[in-house]
Amino acid sequence: MGAVVGLLLLLIGVSHGLETSCDGRKNGAQCYGALGGTVNLQLMDSASEIFRYEWSNKSTIILIGSKNNIRSNVISSRSVFTPSNGTFRINDLSRNDNGEYKLKMENADLENLGERTLHLSVQAPVSSVLLVSECLQGEMRVSCSSVGGDHPQYNWTLDGRELTDDELLSGNTESENITLKADVSGYLVCSVRNDVSDVCGSTINNCTSSNGTQKWVHESSDTVCNKPTTTSTTSTVGKETSATPSTNITSSNQTDTSGRDDSW
Ligand SMILES: *[C@@H]1O[C@H](CO)[C@@H](O)[C@H](O)[C@H]1NC(C)=O
Ligand SMILES: *[C@@H]1O[C@H](CO)[C@@H](O)[C@H](O)[C@H]1NC(C)=O
Ligand SMILES: *[C@@H]1O[C@H](CO)[C@@H](O)[C@H](O)[C@H]1NC(C)=O
């Protein structure tokens, strides 16, 4: 039994500067921020006509304002509230920012104009993805592991489309580990995402010719995810056309950890 393990790929740097936005105007909104990143929370349409408003978490009144005047902001060193568009921008998010927040608004007679809550969840972004593959009698077992991310969700594609049950001996398109049937080959991508990031790794599945011999396929390419990181809305890459992967077939069982570090 010549099982060979190929150690692969692939990572992108998304760990700092991640920015997310959330519409908190609806009561009970669920918002996400990246650990160390920035979140833009829209608390109201505009504060310019609201006589008094305050935004607090369970223990602290964070922001107090009146129309265009900000009376106090206890996190002013890392945040900016813009009354004209009702947006609170908070930088350098930490896990302490997790939790429920409440907005209260009052008119000049100090009558309650309404209250609403939002829930902020700060997650560590997925920082890299590693594919480990193993050929055995033509079948390919591939394991997709991610580094850094909270609540990672996995998704596999082959040549730009979802894997089908017919192609899988074990696992499904949302498994961390899958085994492909012997006659299945193509460009295999594992995407790992959570609410604040989306990172993927890829390899060419080609165990078919190995017949249990010492051979594995190693490919290094630019990262190609279905969706770029949160801040970039320029393109949606559906199929992997941008990357021109250089394929290298190595007939040894060495371990290669090469990969590229591409920041968006
Ligand atoms: C996937 O495979 C890896 C490495 O073989 C293992 O550590 C991990 O527990 C597996 N995960 C699942 C969900 O089976
Ligand atoms: C692959 O293995 C099968 C059974 O183990 C054998 O019959 C076949 O000849 C082998 N093919 C090659 C190309 O070595
Ligand atoms: C394959 O690897 C060899 C040596 O490791 C290198 O010289 C060659 O350029 C590589 N080919 C490709 C297509 O990357």
Side-chain angles (χ1 to χ4, degrees):
M1 290 286 150
V4 179
V5 175
L7 220 212
L8 292 199
L9 305 199
L10 224 238
L11 32 121
I12 61 175
V14 287
S15 44
H16 18 249
L18 258 190
E19 191 165 327
T20 53
S21 295
C22 185
D23 188 346
R25 290 174 296 179
K26 211 172 147 200
N27 188 37
Q30 172 65 59
C31 300
Y32 295 95
L35 195 59
T38 295
V39 66
N40 295 293
L41 299 172
Q42 182 162 17
L43 303 182
M44 53 200 119
D45 292 326
S46 162
S48 303
E49 301 300 321
I50 301 176
F51 184 77
R52 187 177 185 283
Y53 46 91
E54 70 176 50
W55 196 63
S56 52
N57 64 17
K58 290 241 154 63
S59 58
T60 312
I61 298 176
I62 294 164
L63 178 80
I64 301 175
S66 177
K67 300 189 177 175
N68 288 328
N69 302 315
I70 292 150
R71 297 274 156 81
S72 83
N73 176 359
V74 300
I75 55 169
S76 59
S77 62
R78 61 182 180 100
S79 69
V80 178
F81 181 69
T82 308
S84 60
N85 64 11
T87 300
F88 203 10
R89 178 182 171 86
I90 306 173
N91 300 310
D92 200 14
L93 292 169
S94 76
R95 297 205 191 265
N96 290 336
D97 296 319
N98 269 318
E100 194 160 282
Y101 295 82
K102 183 180 279 185
L103 175 71
K104 283 187 194 171
M105 295 174 284
E106 290 170 350
N107 67 13
D109 299 325
L110 300 186
E111 289 166 348
N112 194 340
L113 293 178
E115 288 187 7
R116 62 181 76 124
T117 60
L118 76 77
H119 193 271
L120 178 62
S121 173
V122 176
Q123 291 187 356
V126 177
S127 60
S128 65
V129 169
L130 184 70
L131 291 187
V132 178
S133 60
E134 183 180 359
C135 288
L136 186 59
Q137 303 297 331
E139 291 158 8
M140 190 193 209
R141 183 180 185 278
V142 196
S143 157
C144 179
S145 53
S146 57
V147 179
D150 292 328
H151 314 300
Q153 291 177 303
Y154 298 87
N155 189 59
W156 294 90
T157 59
L158 184 70
D159 292 332
R161 53 157 183 86
E162 287 237 319
L163 282 170
T164 63
D165 286 345
D166 279 351
E167 292 162 333
L168 287 161
L169 271 182
S170 72
N172 58 51
T173 60
E174 291 172 2
S175 303
E176 183 181 345
N177 301 319
I178 59 170
T179 307
L180 293 172
K181 287 184 180 168
D183 56 350
V184 176
S185 65
Y187 183 59
L188 189 65
V189 174
C190 172
S191 310
V192 186
R193 66 183 306 262
N194 63 13
D195 293 296
V196 298
S197 58
D198 190 348
V199 179
C200 63
S202 59
T203 186
I204 287 195
N205 165 42
N206 190 2
C207 286
T208 44
S209 58
S210 73
N211 212 13
T213 58
Q214 303 271 308
K215 186 188 252 182
W216 54 278
V217 178
H218 167 218
E219 182 210 348
S220 191
S221 79
D222 290 342
T223 52
V224 275
C225 285
N226 295 328
K227 190 164 71 77
T229 55
T230 328
T231 43
S232 165
T233 52
T234 46
S235 67
T236 301
V237 182
K239 219 173 168 228
E240 292 71 39
T241 48
S242 56
T244 3
S246 58
T247 304
N248 225 333
I249 299 174
T250 312
S251 12
S252 73
N253 60 355
Q254 79 200 25
T255 293
D256 191 316
T257 52
S258 68
R260 275 192 239 149
D261 196 346
D262 294 331
S263 299
W264 301 90

